[in-house]
Amino acid sequence: MTRILRYIFLVATVVPLLAACNTVDDDRIPAMPVNINLSTPDMWATYGVAGYGDYRLFIRELGEPRNFAYTAATATGYGGVLLIAGVNPFTLDAGVPMAYDLSCPVERKPDIRVRMESDGLLPFAVCQECGSRYDVVERGGSPVDGPALSQKLGLSRYECHMSAYGGYLIANR
């Protein structure tokens, strides 16, 4: 893709986001601790996300992902954590990990979680209870359909901090 086409794509994607960022409530669910340590290259290679749209779920009480060594310091938020690789709409960095709480902000219950689905192009998060859909790959967890869109409720975001060792630490903002 040429540089001009990339620029046009970024402008077309980001300008609507910037206009919507001030109006989406992404702090609707209760604040709970988040601490997932994937700071070493081995941990990141095993439990991290590698490519655009690649995702992983961390839900402590369900032992997800399988064989992940949860410690006393590990915390997975209110409804669990969705870790996904995409475009950070706030920094325009592509292929970076982003993290969201799995709890649907419309339902506000820790056991009503969004699930990942795909329309054939990109994965998106959907709540099976209310039908809300969220763009977690390119729009920072913003709603794109359902009651969350009409109520302007986005998924709660968490920080992904690159470690000195080559992996990431996922924590509260």
Side-chain angles (χ1 to χ4, degrees), residues 20-139:
C21 288
N22 294 331
T23 60
V24 173
D25 179 4
D26 61 1
D27 291 322
R28 184 163 160 86
I29 64 164
M32 299 293 288
V34 174
N35 184 27
I36 302 170
N37 187 342
L38 305 175
S39 63
T40 66
D42 288 344
M43 288 295 286
W44 185 253
T46 303
Y47 298 106
V49 291
Y52 194 76
D54 187 24
Y55 68 90
R56 183 165 307 268
L57 308 179
F58 290 85
I59 308 169
R60 184 182 183 111
E61 63 269 14
L62 299 179
E64 181 77 27
R66 188 176 211 176
N67 298 324
F68 182 72
Y70 282 98
T71 67
T74 307
T76 58
Y78 187 61
V81 174
L82 164 65
L83 179 64
I84 189 164
V87 175
N88 184 326
F90 309 104
T91 64
L92 301 182
D93 292 332
V96 298
M98 296 173 294
Y100 306 94
D101 200 283
L102 286 165
S103 179
C104 175
V106 174
E107 300 299 326
R108 295 181 74 187
K109 296 178 182 172
D111 60 339
I112 298 181
R113 300 176 178 97
V114 295
R115 293 180 184 215
M116 295 304 293
E117 295 184 5
S118 176
D119 59 6
L121 298 174
L122 293 174
F124 56 89
V126 64
C127 175
Q128 301 295 312
E129 193 74 22
C130 72
S132 293
R133 289 176 35 161
Y134 305 89
D135 185 336
V136 292
V137 178
E138 295 178 344
R139 295 188 57 204

